[in-house]
Amino acid sequence: MWLQRIDTTSSSMPPIEVHVCGCYAAGKRRRPVPRDEARRRLTSGVRACTHCKPDTQLRIPD
């Protein structure tokens, strides 16, 4: 399972960062997302966590 950190200042709550489940840097404002959605978010420009590196684990090239 993957986590998507969300922005709490927006009413639509767009994702601001993708994390691996269990990452300590994910914060409290997050929701679980399936692998396909995590890949889609990362390839559409949502930032990958620099601590858990979900882009590396999902094998998304730079």
Side-chain angles (χ1 to χ4, degrees), residues 28-46:
K28 293 183 180 185
R29 303 285 187 199
R30 62 182 186 253
R31 71 177 183 93
V33 293
R35 180 183 185 92
D36 291 340
E37 186 174 344
R39 286 184 64 81
R40 188 169 49 252
R41 296 288 185 195
L42 289 168
T43 57
S44 70
V46 176

Side-chain angles (χ1 to χ4, degrees), residues 11-23:
S11 59
S12 62
M13 291 203 242
I16 58 172
E17 201 167 54
V18 176
H19 296 266
V20 174
C21 189
C23 176

